């Protein structure tokens, strides 16, 4: 049964489908209170937003809007053609943060930044600092690489965040509506028959429709999505699959090409399918995402095996030491899979959200919030060097977390997902509440039976006990649904009626009465993990996971290069004093004139005494200085 959403605006929601299996909850309904994600929300508010804002100003990307107003373009323009979008993503992150906290100083900074952006908008609604002025390229003269519609997409999403936190009577919202109306006039049925080389505006337009109720925005999103696969973009050496312009969205079987572009397009297609009740389109995108999860996704949830084209590789092509696994692709994967969780109720998508959040997204920011990864490999072969704190790094740098990048989409992207994280924890329908992700939190909702207030207490992901207490509950029966992760064989649900062993998947229990507690107990023992044998790059190797977290071996703990590590799986990993330890010996192959031979003797046997070596959560690596690191460790 589809749940009808109440209210067109979807207050506090990053996305607000008008009908779905479940209704997502907004940041005003779910409050994270400490723990793993509460710490990261606090870091976002105290450091990351300010850090991104500082660098955008320092590099002149924010100043581009001032230069546009003052007639100093193109001479004084700084940054790449898409640098406007970084300012818009920061505005979205600020809007969500202001929606969940009362910070007068942040509000003043936000207002000042909005005023600078708004001043650069032209009378017909066009807003871009790269095109359209004397000495610049004409508007929409480079649909392959110009990113104008991509920038509009992030501008619109910033406006949607503001509308859903303060309402439609707002300066940025008015800017966004004028910009969206301009896009519809330029690219509508009788306008330019074109698409952007970087998908993003599609999901933004659907959300603007959901906020305003104006169908022209939904119709324009549909036009853009249906135009993909018509070859409207020019041929490039990476192939038109780079832009997702080689096959229609309805006909594709797997996500391909540039990973972020593909995932943003998939998010827009899911949104459109839900609003149009288009089962064919929803089934097509669902199949693409599930195939991608099964064949083109790293253990960390990362997507994108190729540095060239920042793209997906072929099925099973997942080299750990050459992984691209862009942070933005991880964020986009969370967006897509959460949408599919809400639309379909399939637990596989909520499992994918958890995996990607705890491993890839959590790995991106530095511990102090003043640096981040752009790419996220699974095997660091050389220690690298500490990054400059004064200069932006090249985007492929992965041995440390630089403070900023010359292409710096990921830092600003992190601000918006961390600020809105509460919206990913739970949903409701008429019959009850569904918990998809676990964190200390308070949930306040209304269902058909009445008001529900739940308090979730947990040390997850370090501990596996999740206690859900009903502070307020209806007298009539209602249902509490809990997600048992795919790795959690042997989980138990404890209610007033007794203990119930439960299998991975969603489990429904009677909703507790006020004052009662339902407890989910997940087994958290560390476990060996093997790859599908078709993943050639890690054949003969094993990884270790504990709960939702992938663990890594770092040279700092090994006392030497991780390339020398050989692991024994004859016994299970050991937990001791809050650490996971695994039995490892080291091997240093002898140098020779030729690295190949007629037998395995060419590879040295493990030497030295076997010893227990601690592993760390993958998300925590590279916080103790330059190191080598690997997730997949050879057996031997």
């Amino acid at each position: 049964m589809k749940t009808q959403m109440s209210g067109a605006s979807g207050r506090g929601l990053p996305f607000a489908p008008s009908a779905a299996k479940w209704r997502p909850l907004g940041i005003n309904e779910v409050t994270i209170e400490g723990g793993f994600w509460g710490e990261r929300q606090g870091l976002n508010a105290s450091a990351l937003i300010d850090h991104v804002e500082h660098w955008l100003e320092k590099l002149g990307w924010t100043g581009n809007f001032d230069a546009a107003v003052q007639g100093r373009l193109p001479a004084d323009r700084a940054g790449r053609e898409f640098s406007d979008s970084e300012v818009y993503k920061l505005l979205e992150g600020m809007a969500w943060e202001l929606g969940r906290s009362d910070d007068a100083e942040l509000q003043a900074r936000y207002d000042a930044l909005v005023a600078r952006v708004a001043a650069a908008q032209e009378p017909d609604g066009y807003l871009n600092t790269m095109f359209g002025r004397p000495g610049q390229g004409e508007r929409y003269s480079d649909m392959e690489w110009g990113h104008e519609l991509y920038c509009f997409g992030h501008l619109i999403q910033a406006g949607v965040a503001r509308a859903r936190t303060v309402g439609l009577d707002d300066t940025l919202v008015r800017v966004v509506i004028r910009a969206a109306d301009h896009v519809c006039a330029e690219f509508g049925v009788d306008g330019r028959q074109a698409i952007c080389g970087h998908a993003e505006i599609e999901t933004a337009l659907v959300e603007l429709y959901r906020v305003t109720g104006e169908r022209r925005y939904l119709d324009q999103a549909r036009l853009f999505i249906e135009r993909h696969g018509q070859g409207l973009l020019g041929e490039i050496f990476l192939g038109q699959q780079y832009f997702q312009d080689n096959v229609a969205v309805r006909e594709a079987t797997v996500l391909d090409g540039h990973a972020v572009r593909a995932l943003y397009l998939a998010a827009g297609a899911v949104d459109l399918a839900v609003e149009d009740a288009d089962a064919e389109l929803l089934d097509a995108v669902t199949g693409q995402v599930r195939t991608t999860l099964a064949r083109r996704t790293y253990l960390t949830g990362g997507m994108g095996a190729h540095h060239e084209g920042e793209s997906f590789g072929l099925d099973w092509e997942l080299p750990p030491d050459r992984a691209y696994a862009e942070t933005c692709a991880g964020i986009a994967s969370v967006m897509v899979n959460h949408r599919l969780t809400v639309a379909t109720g399939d637990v596989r998508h909520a499992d994918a959200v958890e995996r990607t959040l705890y491993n890839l997204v959590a790995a991106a920011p530095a511990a102090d919030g003043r640096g981040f990864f752009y790419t996220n490999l699974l095997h660091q072969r050389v220690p690298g060097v500490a990054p400059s704190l004064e200069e932006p790094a090249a985007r492929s740098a992965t041995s440390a977390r630089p403070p900023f990048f010359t292409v710096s989409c990921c830092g600003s992207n992190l601000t918006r997902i961390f600020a809105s994280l509460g919206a990913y924890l739970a949903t409701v329908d008429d019959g009850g509440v569904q918990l998809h992700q676990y964190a200390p939190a308070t949930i306040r909702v209304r269902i058909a039976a009445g008001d529900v207030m739940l308090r979730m207490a947990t040390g997850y992901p370090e501990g596996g006990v999740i206690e859900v207490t009903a502070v307020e509950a209806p007298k009539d029966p209602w249902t509490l649904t809990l997600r048992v992760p795919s790795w959690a064989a042997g989980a138990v649900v404890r209610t007033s009626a007794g203990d119930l062993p439960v299998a991975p998947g969603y489990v429904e229990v009677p909703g507790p009465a006020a004052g009662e507690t339902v407890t989910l107990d997940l087994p958290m023992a560390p476990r060996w993990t093997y790859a599908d044998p078709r993943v050639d790059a890690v054949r003969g190797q094993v990884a270790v996971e504990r709960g939702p977290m992938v663990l890594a071996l770092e040279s700092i703990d090994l006392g030497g290069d991780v390339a020398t590590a050989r692991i024994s799986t004859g016994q299970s990993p050991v937990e001791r004093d809050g650490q996971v330890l695994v039995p490892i010996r080291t091997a240093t192959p002898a140098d020779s004139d030729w690295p190949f031979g007629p037998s395995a003797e060419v590879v040295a046997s493990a030497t030295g005494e076997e010893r227990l070596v601690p592993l760390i959560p993958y998300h925590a690596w590279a916080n103790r200085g330059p190191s080598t690191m690997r997730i997949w460790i050879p057996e031997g």
Side-chain angles (χ1 to χ4, degrees):
M1 175 180 289
K2 295 293 185 182
T3 297
Q4 297 297 318
M5 305 299 136
S6 58
S9 65
R11 185 165 177 82
L13 284 164
F15 86 112
S18 61
K21 180 176 177 63
W22 294 316
R23 177 176 74 82
L25 300 180
I27 60 173
N28 57 310
E29 295 172 293
V30 181
T31 304
I32 297 176
E33 298 166 333
F36 188 93
W37 292 117
E39 290 174 3
R40 280 149 184 81
Q41 283 196 323
L43 186 69
N44 189 47
S46 65
L48 185 56
I49 288 175
D50 178 72
H51 179 76
V52 171
E53 185 181 10
H54 163 77
W55 274 90
L56 291 178
E57 197 71 59
K58 176 178 178 174
L59 295 177
W61 300 358
T62 309
N64 289 335
F65 294 94
D66 305 327
V69 173
Q70 296 162 11
R72 294 186 283 107
L73 297 179
D76 290 346
R77 192 181 188 283
R80 293 286 300 273
E81 61 274 12
F82 40 73
S83 62
D84 291 359
S85 70
E86 308 313 331
V87 178
Y88 303 152
K89 280 181 279 186
L90 174 63
L91 283 173
E92 183 184 348
M94 286 177 157
W96 290 126
E97 183 59 35
L98 289 167
R100 72 176 202 92
S101 63
D102 184 15
D103 187 330
E105 193 267 340
L106 179 61
Q107 181 69 60
R109 285 159 44 203
Y110 173 88
D111 290 341
L113 186 53
V114 167
R116 294 166 73 184
V117 169
Q121 188 170 34
E122 299 186 33
D124 67 348
Y126 184 80
L127 179 53
N128 192 283
T129 68
M130 185 70 184
F131 294 92
R133 296 168 187 82
Q136 294 184 319
E138 294 182 4
R139 295 180 181 182
Y140 310 119
S141 57
D142 187 1
M143 297 306 298
E144 289 79 16
W145 305 106
H147 287 74
E148 286 159 283
L149 294 178
Y150 169 81
C151 290
F152 273 130
H154 280 298
L155 174 65
I156 292 168
Q157 287 194 307
V160 166
R162 190 63 173 165
R164 288 191 174 142
T165 49
V166 303
L168 294 172
D169 185 14
D170 176 80
T171 299
L172 183 61
V173 176
R174 288 189 285 272
V175 168
V176 161
I177 288 174
R178 288 197 299 272
D181 288 345
H182 163 80
V183 170
C184 292
E186 286 286 326
F187 292 90
V189 174
D190 299 323
R192 302 171 190 263
Q193 300 302 298
I195 58 173
C196 186
H198 197 313
E200 214 290 327
I201 195 170
E202 296 82 358
T203 191
L205 285 168
V206 176
E207 289 305 326
L208 188 60
Y209 156 71
R210 289 167 170 169
V211 165
T212 65
E214 296 291 343
R215 287 201 63 87
R216 62 181 176 277
Y217 305 135
L218 181 66
D219 294 340
Q220 187 61 55
R222 186 184 306 108
L223 285 175
F224 283 141
I225 289 168
E226 299 291 5
R227 285 172 186 169
H228 275 267
Q230 296 182 21
L232 296 175
L233 297 170
E235 290 283 354
I236 62 170
F237 75 99
L238 293 167
Q240 285 185 305
Q241 67 268 24
Y242 175 83
F243 303 122
Q244 295 76 50
D245 196 29
N246 61 318
V247 61
V249 174
R250 295 176 185 276
E251 297 172 7
T253 58
V254 67
L255 299 182
D256 198 11
H258 187 281
V260 180
R261 286 166 162 85
L263 287 158
Y264 280 160
L265 180 60
V270 172
D271 287 335
L272 175 66
V274 168
E275 296 309 314
D276 278 352
D278 188 336
E280 178 192 60
L281 180 59
L282 182 61
D283 287 347
V285 181
T286 302
Q288 294 160 24
V289 173
R290 290 178 184 169
T291 300
T292 302
L293 289 173
R295 301 182 179 188
R296 298 186 176 186
T297 302
Y298 283 98
L299 184 63
T300 56
M303 293 184 179
H306 289 182
H307 283 241
E308 183 179 64
E310 302 177 304
S311 61
F312 293 99
L314 300 174
D315 290 352
W316 323 115
E317 185 188 2
L318 296 166
D321 56 344
R322 289 296 298 163
Y324 201 72
E326 185 180 336
T327 295
C328 287
I331 293 170
S333 175
V334 170
M335 290 170 57
V336 173
N337 279 290
H338 186 57
R339 281 164 164 76
L340 287 173
T341 300
V342 171
T344 70
D346 193 314
V347 73
R348 286 175 287 186
H349 300 294
D351 284 341
V353 169
E354 176 181 74
R355 178 173 296 280
T356 308
L357 282 175
Y358 278 109
N359 297 294
L360 190 133
V361 173
D368 64 358
R370 303 189 185 282
F372 52 92
F373 281 139
Y374 188 109
T375 60
N376 296 274
L377 48 65
L378 286 72
H379 181 181
Q380 178 68 41
R381 288 186 174 273
V382 295
V385 296
S388 168
L389 299 180
E390 301 300 326
E391 298 295 330
R395 61 185 174 184
S396 60
T398 53
S399 59
R401 295 174 179 85
F404 224 64
F405 293 85
T406 53
V407 174
S408 213
C409 50
C410 298
S412 52
N413 225 348
L414 287 167
T415 68
R416 63 184 191 137
I417 193 169
F418 283 147
S420 60
L421 262 177
Y424 293 87
L425 266 62
T427 58
V428 297
D429 61 11
D430 289 344
V433 180
Q434 303 83 39
L435 300 182
H436 307 285
Q437 309 299 332
Y438 299 119
T442 296
I443 301 165
R444 300 175 180 85
V445 295
R446 173 175 284 275
I447 60 175
D451 291 332
V452 177
M453 179 177 173
L454 301 177
R455 184 151 291 130
M456 186 164 30
T458 181
Y460 197 75
E462 285 77 19
V465 176
I466 299 103
E467 296 179 335
V468 183
T469 300
V471 179
E472 183 177 356
K475 293 183 179 180
D476 293 336
W478 64 286
T479 301
L480 176 66
T481 301
L482 304 166
R483 181 181 62 89
V484 180
S486 60
W487 48 264
V492 175
V493 171
R494 298 187 170 92
T495 70
S496 58
D499 292 358
L500 175 68
V502 289
Y506 283 116
V507 57
E508 295 181 352
V509 298
E516 291 186 344
T517 297
V518 171
T519 301
L520 175 62
D521 195 344
L522 302 174
M524 301 295 286
R527 60 195 185 274
W528 304 119
T529 296
Y530 294 88
D532 187 293
R534 289 168 288 188
V535 184
D536 297 314
V538 296
R539 190 176 294 130
Q541 300 176 49
V542 65
V544 181
E545 296 181 271
R546 182 186 182 277
M549 293 190 295
V550 174
L551 305 185
L553 174 65
E554 199 168 14
S555 56
I556 292 168
D557 297 308
L558 182 65
D561 188 353
V562 297
T564 67
R566 301 294 182 269
I567 196 167
S568 171
T569 55
Q571 58 178 312
S572 297
V574 175
E575 284 197 82
R576 183 184 300 160
D577 300 326
Q579 290 185 314
V580 174
L581 303 102
V582 294
I584 286 180
R585 290 184 290 170
T586 57
T588 305
D591 291 333
S592 64
D593 294 334
W594 183 243
F596 308 102
S599 72
E601 296 299 320
V602 74
V603 179
S605 299
T607 58
E609 294 294 324
E610 185 175 276
R611 57 195 173 96
L612 290 175
V613 177
L615 304 181
I616 62 170
Y618 170 73
H619 69 75
W621 91 276
N623 275 310
R624 298 177 291 175
S627 64
T628 60
M629 176 277 301
R630 69 187 305 159
I631 286 173
W632 294 101
I633 305 171
E635 289 189 87

